[in-house]
Amino acid sequence: MNWDLLLTDANIATMVAEGPAYGAIQDAALAIADGNIAWLGAAQDLPEANIAETRSLQGRWITPALIDCHTHLVFAGNRAQEFEQRLKGASYEEIARAGGGIMSTVNATRDASTGTLLSQTQARLQTLRAEGCATVEIKSGYGLNLESELRLLEVVRELERNAGISISSTFLGAHAIPTEFKNDSDGYIDLVCNEMMPAVVERELADAVDAYCETIAFSTAQIARVFESARACGLPVKLHADQLSDGGGAALAAEFSALSADHLEYTTDSGTDALAQAGTVAVLLPGAFLTLGETQVPPIEQLRDKRVPIAIATDCNPGTSPVCSLRTTMSLATSLFKLTPEECLAGATRNAATALGLEADRGTLETGKRADLAIWDIDHPQVLSYWIGTNELSELFVAGQPL
Ligand code: NIG
Ligand code: FE
């Protein structure tokens, strides 16, 4: 055996689902070869190997690098003014119906130069990376016409080439009804299915397709058309489902074997049954719940009982979740949704990988998986969901390389 690097004097939270809490191995070592995990286990079981370099972690913890599986990082401007309006009593729906909301960010984004979009998104990515994220999902959805949606996805692919971390790109053309189609939402869905989707696929700009199922956005029938098109193009789907009302979004996502159904505040029993049946991940977004002052909590007990994998994500966006910290999101998930610290870490690693279809090579620490590692100056991984505003990250490895 030839190893490039051996990390010793470590504690490891593998985050594999079975076995001890956090998949913990104390007094452990982890070996990297060719960018992958070549071996890990208790130090006393270390086999003979040719080791190019050995480093002591002096008791630090290794976890899988964090994964933010739901963000809207590419946008221009902000919506601080609407934030203030909401605090004075206006609702998110009222602002959206009056032409604000998503459409106001669409206007700012269409007007911004590509250079501005690149640098502002890069800065947000850097913030996530600095606290341990090695994979980030980014959605389009603030372009809402052919040219602008393509430009946003091209920005995402450009960032992917230069960010040093992995990026998953999601086409969210069906995010809102653009002003140009105010009274013809079906006409806009035609455009999404017949023009945008083929162009996105031809340029290989997306890894998945998402949509927003809500009274202020699109109906289940309209989204079913978007998902049929995605399926015809071979792209997996995800859905913003049941955030502000129960629109049957979770069941629709499950019907299309979606990778994930996200938000889920108003999902009912039949919806969680459908998710469990389909193996669809429930992605919870406490930042949006907090910012919108929601009171209806997602059906956590049902998700747990039915063994639906739970992921958590920042939903970083200028409207409903001005939150650019997955660590803070983990803490919010404990306080707002009563997830345990272990569920939060699983939600930001193992289940987040599954929500992106990347579980074969990421999300847990196992031999053969990519060596995406976060190394922390902590005495227990529960600390990661406990502090708000601290950064205990000591080092981040992506595919075996320190960043
Ligand atoms: O995930 N729900 C729709 N999309 C975003 C909000 C985007 C916005 O308001 O700009 C969300 O909450
Ligand atoms: Fe979202």
Side-chain angles (χ1 to χ4, degrees):
M1 281 187 291
N2 295 307
W3 294 343
D4 301 322
L5 178 64
L6 178 68
L7 301 171
T8 61
D9 306 311
N11 296 300
I12 300 180
T14 65
M15 298 314 291
V16 294
E18 300 80 29
Y22 298 89
I25 312 172
Q26 313 256 355
D27 300 319
L30 184 149
I32 298 171
D34 300 325
N36 292 328
I37 299 171
W39 185 85
L40 84 173
Q44 62 191 30
D45 300 330
L46 199 63
E48 282 291 315
N50 297 317
I51 304 167
E53 186 191 345
T54 300
R55 272 180 42 203
S56 166
L57 293 186
Q58 299 173 310
R60 293 188 182 88
W61 278 83
I62 310 177
T63 71
L66 303 185
I67 298 173
D68 194 351
C69 66
H70 178 144
T71 84
H72 305 251
L73 283 196
V74 207
F75 61 84
N78 67 61
R79 306 230 291 279
Q81 210 189 337
E82 285 179 12
F83 169 67
E84 184 150 2
Q85 266 178 282
R86 283 206 308 275
L87 289 166
K88 289 178 177 162
S91 76
Y92 181 67
E93 289 96 324
E94 279 161 11
I95 293 169
R97 288 188 201 284
I102 292 172
M103 213 45 220
S104 101
T105 298
V106 168
N107 293 330
T109 304
R110 285 179 183 171
D111 287 347
S113 72
T114 301
T116 300
L117 289 173
L118 274 168
S119 65
Q120 293 191 356
T121 310
Q122 172 73 51
R124 291 187 273 267
L125 261 183
Q126 172 52 35
T127 305
L128 291 172
R129 168 182 144 163
E131 58 168 26
C133 292
T135 301
V136 175
E137 185 258 14
I138 306 181
K139 303 175 197 299
S140 67
Y142 292 120
L144 305 190
N145 61 33
L146 176 64
E147 180 204 337
S148 305
E149 283 293 304
L150 289 178
R151 186 165 75 120
L152 298 189
L153 292 170
E154 273 154 9
V155 164
V156 173
R157 288 295 194 220
E158 173 69 20
L159 289 166
E160 192 180 352
R161 284 187 282 275
N162 300 311
I165 61 175
S166 294
I167 294 175
S168 239
S169 171
T170 302
F171 171 52
L172 177 56
H175 191 199
I177 303 157
T179 321
E180 302 84 348
F181 286 85
K182 201 165 179 229
N183 300 311
D184 183 19
S185 57
D186 283 322
Y188 181 64
I189 293 294
D190 289 341
L191 182 75
V192 169
C193 296
N194 302 336
E195 292 186 41
M196 291 186 186
M197 189 103 61
V200 166
V201 170
E202 191 196 322
R203 292 166 179 75
E204 297 185 3
L205 290 176
D207 305 310
V209 172
D210 194 351
Y212 186 23
C213 186
E214 193 56 66
T215 49
I216 50 169
F218 300 101
S219 68
T220 48
Q222 290 172 324
I223 287 163
R225 291 181 52 210
V226 175
F227 284 2
E228 294 286 0
S229 298
R231 184 185 271 168
C233 297
L235 284 175
V237 299
K238 317 169 73 66
L239 187 64
H240 284 71
D242 310 329
Q243 179 189 14
L244 308 171
S245 60
D246 174 25
L252 177 71
E255 192 185 319
F256 282 85
S257 307
L259 290 172
S260 69
D262 304 38
H263 287 290
L264 304 180
E265 275 80 348
Y266 285 85
T267 299
T268 56
D269 219 10
S270 57
T272 52
D273 277 343
L275 294 178
Q277 281 274 322
T280 295
V281 176
V283 178
L284 306 184
L285 306 166
F289 178 92
L290 175 80
T291 304
L292 292 180
E294 294 287 334
T295 51
Q296 169 103 7
V297 175
I300 309 290
E301 279 307 329
Q302 289 188 26
L303 295 171
R304 274 189 192 125
D305 289 350
K306 297 175 190 176
R307 305 191 141 274
V308 177
I310 299 173
I312 55 174
T314 62
D315 194 14
C316 180
N317 77 71
T320 62
S321 190
V323 176
C324 198
S325 166
L326 191 53
R327 283 286 307 282
T328 303
T329 303
M330 289 164 70
S331 173
L332 290 177
T334 65
S335 52
L336 299 173
F337 297 163
K338 305 291 177 244
L339 293 192
T340 65
E342 186 179 359
E343 286 174 321
C344 290
L345 188 55
T349 56
R350 183 179 73 238
N351 296 335
T354 308
L356 298 177
L358 296 172
E359 69 277 15
D361 77 334
R362 262 167 265 183
T364 57
L365 301 180
E366 292 176 80
T367 305
K369 283 201 179 184
R370 215 168 80 153
D372 281 14
L373 319 174
I375 298 170
W376 309 95
D377 241 320
I378 53 176
D379 60 9
H380 194 279
Q382 64 204 175
V383 168
L384 298 174
S385 302
Y386 168 68
W387 288 109
I388 299 181
T390 57
N391 190 354
E392 295 82 0
L393 184 74
S394 165
E395 233 181 318
L396 183 63
F397 282 76
V398 179
Q401 297 300 317
L403 280 190

